[in-house]
Amino acid sequence: MRTLVDHIGCIAGIERQGRLRLCGAEMDRMETLEDAWLLVEEGRIAAFGRRDDGIPGDADRRIDARGGMLFPSFCDSHTHLVYAGSREQEFLDKINGLSYEEIARRGGGILNSADRLHAASEEELYRTAMERIAEIAAMGTGCVEIKSGYGLSTEDELKMLRVIRRIRETAPLEVRATFLGAHAVARAYRGRQGAYVDLVCREMLPAVAREGLADFVDVFCDEGFFTVEETERILNAGRALGLRAKIHANELAFSGGVQVGVRCGALSVDHLERSGAAEIEVLRGSETMPTLLPGAAFFLGMSNPPAREMIRAGLGVALASDYNPGSSPSGNMRMVAALASIRLRMTPREALCAATLNGAYAMGLSRDYGSITAGKVANFFLTRPMPSIEFFTYAYQTPLIDRVFLRGEEIVA
């Protein structure tokens, strides 16, 4: 099947050089092509070009873009979208002045979600997660990473990861799975954090590896959660079982999480609201992608990570939604990109690069996703006609996304 998308006002996010991520000033140099066409064959981008230079005439199907823009699908590299129930009571607690840490100490936060998940069946978790998958796909996301971490027992962590595996097998999106047993210390291990770390390393990780349920291992390395030493032990245990590191770092404090992440070869270090010159320096020259979650900082009223300083230092930056029931109950990556411009002072083109190609890199997927490149998987969306690329994040609530294509097939919301 050859599908021709014609009458495209502008193709955005073109990458012709085979780069797997863009860093520093490169992030603002988005290549575009106006008055264009794009050809899809067998689910991949076969070719694209200007209409004035000739249009392929042998397509089996034609799509009229009607002058709208064509963007690569968003690549959301940090979510927790498998969960049970909601936590709007904690939303009220925040409004009434309680901090994230205070809510956690009262039994809320991650432990609240763990209690709810324990009571939920795999079928219920799958059904509600697939509703969220449909939601984010309709908003332009084509690749997503999903973490466990609301189980906090071997049985419930495996339950979450089996649900993620089922999503991976049935959803039109590209899905990656991350084991996050070290998201918090389970209630049964309160006061015995070392014993819980033993459980993660000696029982949970081997069980996950035996079933092939995860691509990555993650740890919440921050004040009040897991120490640098515990984090390094868990990440090394995961690496011995073939799981590459990702890490929650420096959300609440200057925790040393960035440094241990780079030392352990993490593909990404995520959050980074509490970061400075030392963290930026250790990231320079590494393969580790700093991944910023402005939706979480916005929802929690936290400080913003130093995105501009990172980009000025030549780092690549990725953006992700952190979709979860407690601190970022939204998977809208267009809104994430808008927040990156409004709050982090990233240009719209930097933000869109961070939410597509660099997000794909943070999942190990940028060889096949994240840009408009011949040979890559045909994950893209069409917009209504717009005056500029910048308008897409500037008018962040205007319903501009018109049609969504994953693996070359249109999905209908």
Side-chain angles (χ1 to χ4, degrees):
M1 174 69 73
R2 287 164 62 88
T3 300
L4 177 69
V5 185
D6 197 8
H7 298 107
I8 303 168
C10 178
I11 298 177
I14 295 169
E15 170 52 42
R16 302 179 193 266
Q17 300 176 42
R19 293 173 294 184
L20 300 182
R21 60 175 172 172
L22 297 181
C23 299
E26 297 174 331
M27 293 179 63
D28 200 35
R29 297 174 188 154
M30 178 183 291
E31 183 180 349
T32 61
L33 191 66
E34 296 186 355
D35 192 22
W37 55 267
L38 181 139
L39 184 67
V40 175
E41 187 168 1
E42 302 300 329
R44 290 185 177 261
I45 299 168
F48 53 89
R50 286 181 53 83
R51 300 187 78 248
D52 287 349
D53 297 330
I55 304 169
D58 57 347
D60 302 296
R61 177 175 56 182
R62 289 176 177 264
I63 304 292
D64 187 352
R66 298 178 294 185
M69 293 190 180
L70 185 150
F71 288 85
S73 294
F74 294 121
C75 298
D76 189 353
S77 64
H78 184 129
T79 81
H80 307 256
L81 62 74
V82 173
Y83 59 84
S86 56
R87 282 161 44 189
E88 64 271 20
Q89 179 55 51
E90 294 176 19
F91 180 55
L92 293 175
D93 290 340
K94 294 184 190 85
I95 291 169
N96 290 326
L98 292 184
S99 70
Y100 183 88
E101 298 90 331
E102 288 169 330
I103 291 169
R105 283 197 295 270
R106 290 171 48 161
I110 295 164
L111 296 182
N112 185 0
S113 284
D115 292 341
R116 293 168 181 257
L117 185 126
H118 178 74
S121 68
E122 284 191 27
E123 186 60 36
E124 178 187 350
L125 291 170
Y126 172 75
R127 178 182 56 79
T128 56
M130 286 298 287
E131 290 173 358
R132 297 176 197 116
I133 288 285
E135 170 195 344
I136 65 173
M139 293 188 291
T141 293
C143 299
V144 64
E145 181 256 22
I146 309 173
K147 301 179 189 294
S148 69
Y150 293 137
L152 306 186
S153 70
T154 303
E155 179 183 358
D156 287 342
E157 286 293 308
L158 293 176
K159 177 167 73 172
M160 284 193 77
L161 288 165
R162 289 178 188 132
V163 170
I164 297 168
R165 178 173 62 188
R166 187 174 170 192
I167 294 168
R168 187 172 184 164
E169 293 169 347
T170 57
L173 288 76
E174 186 69 17
V175 176
R176 288 294 178 267
T178 297
F179 167 67
L180 180 58
H183 200 190
V185 176
R187 291 188 194 280
Y189 286 82
R190 182 174 292 167
R192 298 186 297 129
Q193 184 155 320
Y196 184 73
V197 172
D198 287 343
L199 179 73
V200 171
C201 293
R202 297 175 182 173
E203 183 175 308
M204 289 188 188
L205 271 166
V208 169
R210 277 195 300 271
E211 294 193 38
L213 291 173
D215 303 288
F216 304 105
V217 57
D218 196 343
V219 179
F220 192 173
C221 180
D222 220 322
E223 186 175 72
F225 290 87
F226 294 90
T227 68
V228 166
E229 293 75 21
E230 291 165 340
T231 297
E232 188 159 13
R233 181 184 169 198
I234 293 166
L235 296 184
N236 285 337
R239 179 164 53 188
L241 293 167
L243 302 180
R244 188 164 183 186
K246 291 168 74 75
I247 191 168
H248 286 59
N250 294 52
E251 179 184 5
L252 307 174
F254 288 85
S255 65
V258 173
Q259 288 83 348
V260 70
V262 172
R263 191 160 63 246
C264 291
L267 183 57
S268 71
V269 288
D270 302 9
H271 274 293
L272 313 188
E273 286 85 357
R274 306 288 184 179
S275 298
E279 286 72 24
I280 290 171
E281 186 57 34
V282 78
L283 286 164
R284 285 163 59 98
S286 78
E287 296 182 354
T288 303
M289 176 66 72
T291 299
L292 312 182
L293 313 175
F298 169 71
F299 191 77
L300 294 175
M302 298 177 69
S303 60
N304 298 309
R308 283 258 53 89
E309 290 83 350
M310 290 177 176
I311 293 170
R312 277 198 292 268
L315 300 182
V317 170
L319 293 171
S321 73
D322 197 17
Y323 194 176
N324 76 80
S327 61
S328 188
S330 169
N332 187 340
M333 285 293 286
R334 182 177 164 212
M335 181 67 178
V336 167
L339 286 171
S341 292
I342 296 164
R343 292 173 60 90
L344 309 186
R345 318 311 296 174
M346 294 173 66
T347 70
R349 294 180 187 228
E350 288 171 342
L352 290 168
C353 170
T356 53
L357 183 63
N358 285 2
Y361 177 92
M363 292 182 274
L365 292 174
S366 57
R367 293 188 186 278
D368 282 313
Y369 298 91
S371 66
I372 303 303
T373 302
K376 285 194 175 184
V377 175
N379 279 12
F380 59 86
F381 57 83
L382 298 171
T383 73
R384 291 159 45 186
M386 300 187 300
S388 66
I389 288 171
E390 286 73 18
F391 188 83
F392 185 58
T393 52
Y394 157 78
Y396 61 89
Q397 282 297 306
T398 301
L400 293 172
I401 296 177
D402 189 32
R403 304 174 76 173
V404 174
F405 295 80
L406 297 177
R407 299 178 181 134
E409 296 297 325
E410 185 170 8
I411 67 161
V412 179

